[in-house]
Amino acid sequence: AALTRAIASVVERTREELSAEDRETLASFVDGLADRLAAAAACGLPQTLVHGDFHTGNLRGNGSTLVLLDWGDCGVGHPMLDEASFLHHLSPADADRVRAYWHGVWRAAVPGADPARASRLLAPAAAARQAVIYRGFLDQIEPSEWPYHEGDPASWLARAAALVRHESDLAD
């Protein structure tokens, strides 16, 4: 419920920066988000610590250790919510390999779970969650810093809308 409210809020706050098509798609998406999240939960993966900004820029290591930094956006949630940020900067081929590995690790850890289905269901929600994270970030930084991220909420929402439309295309 909290994620649904947060996504609905960022969609409303960002509506003027979105195309009419994206606004329409996102309105329908938000209306069905509770059902989508319930379907993802039924895929059998447990709630976990979700980083919220899980990408290579937040990793530091020396060959024998690896440290994940920047836990400011972490929370408890579905593990597939982190996919949006860690796949975002990868090439499509690399993203497919990383996704396959990630899903394999989860299938091994939770036999009977369906991480691939959960991933497909949550892809638009994970992108919209990134918009929420960036909106919260912008709300807390100095206006002089806004130019670096001011387009991020709209960009992530447009990505969420595109993913929803892609699902519809596949269903047709």
Side-chain angles (χ1 to χ4, degrees), residues 60-161:
R60 299 292 184 272
N62 63 11
S64 63
T65 61
L66 190 61
V67 177
L68 182 57
L69 308 172
D70 190 13
W71 288 87
D73 299 314
C74 72
V76 174
H78 198 286
M80 295 301 126
L81 288 173
D82 265 336
E83 271 191 358
S85 60
F86 74 71
L87 296 178
H88 180 66
H89 296 290
L90 299 178
S91 71
D94 287 342
D96 288 345
R97 282 194 299 276
V98 170
R99 184 182 296 109
Y101 181 81
W102 179 247
H103 296 176
V105 169
W106 277 107
R107 280 191 305 278
V110 187
D114 191 349
R117 181 167 188 269
S119 173
R120 286 188 304 275
L121 286 164
L122 288 176
R129 181 175 173 268
Q130 289 300 116
V132 169
I133 289 168
Y134 278 105
R135 179 73 262 161
F137 177 69
L138 286 164
D139 288 346
Q140 295 176 27
I141 63 173
E142 295 294 323
S144 63
E145 298 293 319
W146 290 350
Y148 303 107
H149 293 288
E150 67 186 336
D152 290 342
S155 176
W156 279 104
L157 288 174
R159 182 182 181 100

